[in-house]
Structures are given as C-alpha cells and as structure tokens.
C-alpha cells in the first residue's frame, strides 16, 4: 500500500521531532526547524495551500517567539516592541506572497478568504494553543512534563492532526 504524498509530510515531521533533542527556549528550536522544513516540503509536494498555510502560520508564531526571546536576552526593550515584531514577521511573509501571486488570487478562496491566509491564521492559532496546552499540562504535573519531548511533540502533533483533518475535508 502506497501512502499519499500529502500524508507523508506530518509523519516525517513527527519523526524528526521524536528523534531530536529538546531546547530550553519556547518554542523549542527543534519545533522551529521542523515547522520550517515542513513548509518547504509541503510546497515541493504541491500540498494544498490551506495545509501549507497551517505550517507557515506555526512557523511565524515560532519566529515571533524566538525574536522576542532574543530581544529580551539582549535587553532590547522599547514600547510596542512585541506588536512590532508580530507585524514585521507577518508582513515580511504575507506581503511577498501577495506580490508574487502566491496569495490573493480570486479563484484561490476558501470561505471567502485566501486559502493560504486561512491556513496561516489557523496554524498560528493551533500553534499558540498547543504551547498553552503544554504549559497547562506541565503546571498540572508540578512543573514537569508527562513524557519526553512533550514540548515539541504537542505543537507538531496538533499541527499534523489539523493538517490531516483539513486534508480529509478537502479531498
């Protein structure tokens, strides 16, 4: 039995996460790399924009968290810093996608919104929710994880499940 190439993406991503080591920053470095690699693989496999967008949105949240963490570490603080980082990362991603024609085409809509933008919004929400869920679980367990690599597996697992659900809906 041959697996559909669109289902392979989440499986490969989870495999990479499980075999990697954890990092202390939130979100973890492994998660960020896995999400970034997944976006590239998704485009190469011609995965639907809604699914690709899920991973792009997660990557953006990860990049935002890493940038804010870096600024904190370097003691770079000013009013509106966090919102500026959010606007810059989303702007630096969405504007080029729009001007290169990858986003904004009238025939590429889902529920009245661009498919890629829909995925980016959904992926951002899911990635944030997964990290909040990780923090909740950890707090419930005396600040300890329930299983190794929980911090990485939960966000990537949530994203993989969302990708699979969207795939099953649109196929």
């Amino acid at each position: 039995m041959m697996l559909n190439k669109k289902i392979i993406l989440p499986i490969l991503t989870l495999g990479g996460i499980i075999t990697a080591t954890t990092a202390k920053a939130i979100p973890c470095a492994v998660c960020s790399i896995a999400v970034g690699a997944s976006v590239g693989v998704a485009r190469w496999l011609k995965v639907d924009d809604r699914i690709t967008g899920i991973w792009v949105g997660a990557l953006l949240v990860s990049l935002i968290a890493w940038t804010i963490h870096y600024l904190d570490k370097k003691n770079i603080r000013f009013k509106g810093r966090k919102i500026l980082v959010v606007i810059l990362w989303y702007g630096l991603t969405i504007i080029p996608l729009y001007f290169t024609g990858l986003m904004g085409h009238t025939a590429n809509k889902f529920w009245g919104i661009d498919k890629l933008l829909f995925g980016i919004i959904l992926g951002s929400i899911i990635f944030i929710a997964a990290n909040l869920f990780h923090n909740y679980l950890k707090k419930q367990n005396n600040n300890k994880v329930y299983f190794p690599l929980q911090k990485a597996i939960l966000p990537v697992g949530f994203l993989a499940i969302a990708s699979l659900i969207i795939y099953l809906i649109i196929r």
Side-chain angles (χ1 to χ4, degrees), residues 137 141 144-151 153-154:
L137 288 176
N141 196 27
K144 296 177 187 169
V145 296
Y146 281 97
F147 53 90
L149 300 172
Q150 173 182 309
K151 183 184 205 176
I153 291 171
L154 285 177

Side-chain angles (χ1 to χ4, degrees), residues 36-48:
S38 298
V39 171
V41 172
R43 283 314 233 165
W44 179 69
L45 293 173
K46 299 188 186 336
V47 175
D48 185 87

Side-chain angles (χ1 to χ4, degrees), residues 1-9 11-12 45 167:
M1 179 175 99
M2 178 107 176
L3 284 175
N4 186 316
K5 66 181 181 180
K6 294 178 184 177
I7 295 176
I8 294 172
L9 173 67
I11 294 168
L12 289 175
L45 293 173
Y167 170 75

Side-chain angles (χ1 to χ4, degrees), residues 52-69:
T52 303
I54 289 172
W55 297 91
V56 172
L59 177 62
L60 287 172
V61 172
S62 181
L63 289 169
I64 289 165
W66 274 94
T67 302
I68 291 169
H69 175 75

Side-chain angles (χ1 to χ4, degrees), residues 79-139:
K79 187 175 176 142
R81 170 180 57 100
K82 291 180 181 178
I83 192 71
L84 179 63
V85 169
V86 170
I87 291 168
L88 282 173
W89 275 117
Y90 280 99
L92 288 170
T93 303
I94 293 172
I95 292 169
L97 289 172
Y98 178 79
F99 283 112
T100 59
L102 292 172
M103 185 181 279
H105 192 277
T106 55
N108 197 33
K109 301 253 184 219
F110 179 70
W111 291 343
I113 186 171
D114 184 84
K115 289 179 182 179
L116 194 53
L117 184 59
F118 171 82
I120 289 171
I121 293 167
L122 183 61
S124 297
I125 292 168
I126 290 169
F127 198 74
I128 290 168
N131 279 296
L132 291 173
F133 184 58
H134 159 71
N135 291 335
Y136 169 79
L137 288 176
K138 195 172 168 187
K139 185 177 179 182

